[in-house]
Amino acid sequence: MFDLERWEEIFETISKNKLRTFLTSLSVASGIFILVILLGIGEGMRNGISREFEQDAANILYVWTGSTSVGYKGMNPGRRIQMKNADYDFAVQKHQDELEYKSSMFRIWNGVVNYNKESGSYRVEGVLPDYQFLENSGMMSGRFINHNDHSGYEKVAVIGKRVNDDLFKGKQAVGEYIEISGINFKVIGVFTDPGGEREETRVYVPLSTAQRVFNGSININNMAFTLEKEESFEAALAASTRFSEQLQQFLKEQHTIAPEDTRAVVVNNSLENAKRFYDLMDMIKFFFWGVGICTIIAGIVGVSNIMLIIVKERTREIGVRKALGARPWSIVMMVLHESIFVTAIAGFVGLIGSLALLELVGPMIETQYIANPSVNFNVALSTVFILIIAGAVAGFFPAWRAARIKPIVALRDE
């Protein structure tokens, strides 16, 4: 005899279990959501770091000297090392086929700059023409220092945008004269710098002029180089590391510095710095993947547990199906369909929600080390397909258990 109340109880149990499964799958959706957001933040951090390095030439090497930290060949530690024009000339001559841009620098300390009644203390440097490209500086007006200015000891200056705003108050600066520590220089250009306001508080003059006018003799404070482009980051890093080691070795030999002394001569290789940051970003991204996957696994385990509960509560229904001729594989597919369907829906909800959030909020995030957080859509979609496969695995074991239930045992279940 057909038991209507019993079938109503069965259908009510099915609906209740589907609701329970759906609620559990929300943890899966949150796992996908968290994973994609974390990957987006990781990509934003990489973009921010890349932008910081792009403010200067990508493969720039800065060289400066300090004091010796160990004694060598009878000389005491604490000896101040002073580079000369000859050091720069030798480096350029030896590596001329490898170099793209190059410049030595002589810094004028406490450079006071005056124009009419306006005055300010700015960083004044004697540089060579290539320095514009080493700093990625752009010209707002006029031109940068050229080789004629350097060879002719011309008293000309290129000022930063901030200096121009402070001293000229919006007036045309090119062609006007400024005083640098009491000496007149003609302004020939105004530059901008991607590094921002701090970099635009500089004043550049020809290196030869700075050395002659400000008693620099043949001394230089820094050297900067960029190497020719390579086919890959790894090749560029290897070339810059080799150049750095050779230059350090030469300077140590030239100035009688112990080979193990790391403070007397410093070569700051931007590619090595970039590699350290990129390695750190890769570690952070790996950590983000771990957090997201663990969250997803927790959701999958929850789905698997719920499917076990569903199978247990639907034991009598499964027994009826098998008694009516349902094959074991059809029972397996019945449970798998529910597990995969709910997991897939939850995954796509989490994916769409996270991508929408990154699309809306991402362009608004502009900090020093995070820029335009985003995630590759193919990567995000791959996580969903992995999730669906995991959902199938999570549902298979409860499904297999359901398929092995004997009809006579199932029909006796209360």
Side-chain angles (χ1 to χ4, degrees), residues 1 31 37 66 75 103 116 119 152 191 197 216 231 246 255 260 280 300 302 321 358 368 373 381 391-392 407 413:
M1 184 176 179
I37 292 296
M75 298 183 179
S103 177
N116 292 338
S119 177
F191 71 88
E197 190 174 277
E231 294 182 356
Q246 292 176 356
H255 295 275
E260 68 273 15
L280 176 62
I300 291 297
R321 288 177 179 270
L358 287 175
Q368 185 176 3
L381 197 60
D413 184 72

Side-chain angles (χ1 to χ4, degrees), residues 94-213:
K94 183 176 181 180
H95 301 279
Q96 58 183 344
D97 294 335
E98 304 173 52
L99 299 177
E100 180 184 24
Y101 300 118
K102 52 198 178 293
S103 177
S104 54
M105 288 155 276
F106 177 75
R107 183 173 298 174
I108 297 94
W109 300 99
N110 301 320
V112 178
V113 182
N114 299 285
Y115 174 73
N116 292 338
K117 296 181 180 181
E118 303 295 335
S119 177
S121 180
Y122 302 102
R123 181 171 166 177
V124 182
E125 292 182 338
V127 298
L128 295 175
D130 278 2
Y131 198 70
Q132 175 187 359
F133 306 108
L134 291 167
E135 286 290 321
N136 276 344
S137 298
M139 300 307 299
M140 287 181 58
S141 59
R143 63 175 178 83
F144 201 76
I145 294 164
N146 60 31
H147 291 284
N148 291 333
D149 298 327
H150 174 66
S151 60
Y153 301 92
E154 300 293 339
K155 293 185 178 68
V156 294
V158 181
I159 64 176
K161 180 180 180 297
R162 173 64 185 274
V163 180
N164 178 72
D165 294 341
D166 291 347
L167 299 182
F168 290 90
K169 309 297 183 184
K171 291 168 53 180
Q172 176 61 254
V174 175
E176 297 292 327
Y177 284 85
I178 59 175
E179 283 187 4
I180 302 177
S181 298
I183 300 172
N184 286 330
F185 283 78
K186 183 180 181 179
V187 178
I188 59 172
V190 179
F191 71 88
T192 60
D193 193 287
E197 190 174 277
R198 183 176 63 87
E199 305 295 330
E200 293 172 350
T201 58
R202 299 182 183 183
V203 177
Y204 298 133
V205 300
L207 175 65
S208 60
T209 307
Q211 290 174 325
R212 172 177 289 188
V213 172

Side-chain angles (χ1 to χ4, degrees), residues 47-319:
N47 293 339
I49 295 298
S50 299
R51 182 181 61 185
E52 288 296 310
F53 282 105
E54 287 170 0
Q55 290 177 0
D56 294 324
N59 60 341
I60 192 169
L61 296 100
Y62 277 107
V63 185
W64 66 86
T65 55
S67 298
T68 57
S69 58
V70 297
Y72 186 61
K73 292 186 177 180
M75 298 183 179
N76 294 326
R79 180 167 47 95
R80 179 70 186 176
I81 303 301
Q82 177 63 64
M83 290 189 293
K84 308 289 184 180
N85 286 339
D87 296 327
Y88 171 77
D89 293 338
F90 175 85
V92 171
Q93 182 179 1
K94 183 176 181 180
H95 301 279
Q96 58 183 344
D97 294 335
E98 304 173 52
L99 299 177
E100 180 184 24
Y101 300 118
K102 52 198 178 293
S103 177
S104 54
M105 288 155 276
F106 177 75
R107 183 173 298 174
I108 297 94
W109 300 99
N110 301 320
V112 178
V113 182
N114 299 285
Y115 174 73
N116 292 338
K117 296 181 180 181
E118 303 295 335
S119 177
S121 180
Y122 302 102
R123 181 171 166 177
V124 182
E125 292 182 338
V127 298
L128 295 175
D130 278 2
Y131 198 70
Q132 175 187 359
F133 306 108
L134 291 167
E135 286 290 321
N136 276 344
S137 298
M139 300 307 299
M140 287 181 58
S141 59
R143 63 175 178 83
F144 201 76
I145 294 164
N146 60 31
H147 291 284
N148 291 333
D149 298 327
H150 174 66
S151 60
Y153 301 92
E154 300 293 339
K155 293 185 178 68
V156 294
V158 181
I159 64 176
K161 180 180 180 297
R162 173 64 185 274
V163 180
N164 178 72
D165 294 341
D166 291 347
L167 299 182
F168 290 90
K169 309 297 183 184
K171 291 168 53 180
Q172 176 61 254
V174 175
E176 297 292 327
Y177 284 85
I178 59 175
E179 283 187 4
I180 302 177
S181 298
I183 300 172
N184 286 330
F185 283 78
K186 183 180 181 179
V187 178
I188 59 172
V190 179
F191 71 88
T192 60
D193 193 287
E197 190 174 277
R198 183 176 63 87
E199 305 295 330
E200 293 172 350
T201 58
R202 299 182 183 183
V203 177
Y204 298 133
V205 300
L207 175 65
S208 60
T209 307
Q211 290 174 325
R212 172 177 289 188
V213 172
F214 298 102
N215 301 318
S217 184
I218 58 173
N219 296 334
I220 57 176
N221 300 110
N222 305 86
M223 296 188 290
F225 307 94
T226 59
L227 305 182
E228 293 289 350
K229 298 293 189 296
E230 299 286 347
E231 294 182 356
S232 65
F233 178 84
E234 289 73 19
L237 177 61
S240 63
T241 301
R242 183 172 59 251
F243 174 82
S244 173
E245 291 173 350
Q246 292 176 356
L247 185 57
Q248 278 187 313
Q249 181 181 358
F250 163 73
L251 290 173
K252 288 181 177 181
E253 292 174 354
Q254 189 72 12
H255 295 275
T256 319
I257 302 170
E260 68 273 15
D261 194 332
T262 58
R263 296 174 58 184
V265 176
V266 179
V267 179
N268 184 28
N269 186 339
S270 66
L271 289 185
E272 290 181 350
N273 295 335
K275 185 178 186 302
R276 283 194 289 270
F277 276 107
Y278 290 148
D279 289 345
L280 176 62
M281 290 302 101
D282 290 339
M283 291 179 63
I284 291 174
K285 184 175 286 189
F286 179 78
F287 173 75
F288 286 168
W289 269 102
V291 171
I293 288 175
C294 286
T295 307
I296 292 172
I297 290 174
I300 291 297
V301 170
V303 171
S304 181
N305 290 335
I306 290 299
M307 297 308 298
L308 285 171
I309 294 173
I310 289 174
V311 168
K312 181 173 177 59
E313 293 184 348
R314 295 171 66 180
T315 300
R316 188 175 180 83
E317 175 202 349
I318 293 170

Side-chain angles (χ1 to χ4, degrees), residues 383-396:
T383 62
V384 176
F385 285 119
I386 293 173
L387 176 64
I388 293 173
I389 294 172
V393 173
F396 177 77

